[in-house]
């Protein structure tokens, strides 16, 4: 009976997650998920939730067993109350991983429990080191119909030891993430708290139809390069109703690094970000790039709260990246206690090796920022394009920023062109042009199609 109640609760969570919210964008066109006809508890595989005994084999055996139900409607793995210490494990298709409210999955602090795997082909190397990378705590490869959810249970990467290894140059491979799903489709990650990732918290890569909803992500302000949600060469992504506070970028859209990302050629597109609260100590609340060599386009961001952060919205790239960032609409933004509201730069980041094409200039165009209110902002905008490839069609509308500096020192611009209307303080001269043709900047583009197409 208890298992039946848990199964019904899981199905309720899933169906609630997939309801549309009445607003434009991909988050309104989410598919419902089929019920799971079978459920087991991790206890049935010898797991012990005392926070001390390692349960890697129990998770691996449970998922291997549940794989046999893939052609029978799938199955659920229930994680009850307890502290479940584990190393890295892989999911399977047609699976729901469900965490009880008082369940905590703890990442092992033994690096051997996070096996070393090959770099992603669109990066050519690890993020931290040239060699391989540690496999993430919870993984999926070439999967379909995967749900990671619960009653706001917790996944804690216990990342402090990894941060120390990074700072002391003691890593033997690049840091792992908490959740990474690769080349997968029809994915839901919802109703969870993710803490202290060694690297990034949620990293869908080469995937499509990804829904990330009602997620809380936390990492200390001084945790190095701890990103929150990082859609990477993904399409049809919804990030909604999340609360993220990390050391580096809260939400970062990426698509590969230099010649590797160009060759792989898989962009990030059709992403809808809605109703999230973001905070970052040293990075950017919302970042596009700097690894964007496969391209980033058709991004719709709305109803965002950014607070107590270094940078609110960033577009980052450099010579040799190639790729593009275009057709971006960011609207209805509230921010307070932010050093730099808008940071667009063509001089950011290093290169994976010396083989990149120095003539591969990124294209940055058709970026719209509108309906923005900011208080206690130090610098309104620092926009610096590339002389050989200026950032164009930067459109600003209905923006009111309470800036601490003098209005004449509130914007810095070079190699950017665009239009503005009702912006305070006044932006740079190259962004002040306005004529009747500029109105198209602020018209919502049709990116997501209709519900049948999705």
């Amino acid at each position: 009976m208890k298992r039946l109640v848990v199964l019904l609760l899981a199905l309720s969570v899933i169906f609630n997650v997939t309801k549309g919210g009445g607003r434009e964008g991909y988050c309104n066109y989410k598919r419902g998920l089929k019920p799971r006809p079978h459920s087991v508890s991790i206890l049935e595989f010898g797991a012990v939730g005392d926070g001390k005994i390692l349960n890697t084999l129990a998770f691996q055996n449970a998922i291997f067993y549940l794989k046999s139900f893939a052609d029978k409607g799938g199955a659920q793995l229930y994680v009850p109350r307890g502290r479940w210490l584990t190393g890295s494990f892989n999911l399977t298709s047609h699976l729901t991983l469900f965490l009880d409210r008082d369940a905590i999955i703890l990442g092992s602090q033994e690096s051997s429990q996070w096996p070393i795997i090959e770099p992603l082909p669109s990066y050519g190397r690890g993020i931290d080191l040239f060699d391989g990378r540690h496999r993430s705590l919870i993984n999926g490869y070439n999967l379909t119909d995967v749900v990671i959810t619960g009653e706001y249970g917790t996944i804690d990467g216990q990342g402090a030891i990894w941060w120390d290894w990074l700072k002391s140059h003691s890593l033997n491979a690049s840091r792992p993430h908490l959740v990474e799903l690769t080349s997968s489709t029809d994915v839901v990650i919802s109703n969870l708290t993710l803490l202290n990732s060694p690297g990034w918290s949620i990293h869908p890569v080469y995937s499509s139809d990804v829904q990330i909803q009602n997620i809380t992500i936390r990492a200390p302000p001084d945790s190095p390069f701890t990103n929150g949600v990082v859609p990477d060469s993904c399409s049809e992504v919804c990030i909604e109703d999340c609360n993220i506070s990390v050391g580096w970028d809260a939400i970062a859209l990426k698509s590969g690094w230099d010649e590797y990302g160009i060759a792989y050629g898989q962009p990030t597109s059709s992403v809808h970000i809605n109703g999230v609260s973001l905070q970052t100590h040293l990075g950017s609340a919302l970042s596009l790039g700097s690894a964007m060599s496969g391209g980033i386009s058709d991004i719709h961001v709305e109803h965002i709260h950014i607070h107590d952060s270094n940078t609110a919205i960033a577009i980052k790239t450099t010579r040799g990246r190639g790729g593009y960032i275009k057709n971006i609409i960011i609207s209805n933004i509230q921010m307070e206690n932010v050093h730099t509201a808008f940071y667009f730069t063509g001089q950011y980041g290093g290169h994976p090796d010396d083989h990149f094409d120095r003539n591969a200039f990124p294209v940055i165009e058709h970026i719209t920022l509108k309906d923005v209110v900011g208080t206690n902002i130090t610098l309104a905008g620092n926009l610096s394009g590339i002389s050989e490839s200026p950032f164009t069609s930067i459109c600003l509308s209905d923006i009111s920023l309470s800036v601490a500096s003098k209005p004449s020192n509130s914007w810095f611009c070079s190699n950017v062109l665009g239009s503005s209307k009702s912006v305070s303080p006044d932006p740079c001269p190259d962004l002040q042009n306005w004529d009747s043709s500029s109105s198209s900047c602020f018209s919502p583009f049709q990116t997501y199609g209709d519900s049948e197409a999705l």
Side-chain angles (χ1 to χ4, degrees), residues 115-126:
I116 296 175
I117 58 176
E118 293 294 317
L120 291 166
S122 58
Y123 284 79
R125 52 158 287 184

Side-chain angles (χ1 to χ4, degrees), residues 364 390-395 414-419 429-433:
I364 312 299
F391 299 174
T392 61
S393 299
I394 308 300
C395 306
S414 64
N415 298 307
V416 295
L417 294 171
S419 304
D430 287 341
L431 298 176
Q432 290 185 15
N433 298 320

Side-chain angles (χ1 to χ4, degrees), residues 233-255:
S233 294
C234 289
S235 62
E236 299 179 353
V237 178
C238 167
I239 304 171
E240 188 173 39
D241 299 329
C242 296
N243 193 315
I244 304 172
S245 177
V246 292
W248 198 243
D249 294 341
I251 296 177
L253 308 185
K254 299 181 181 294
S255 65

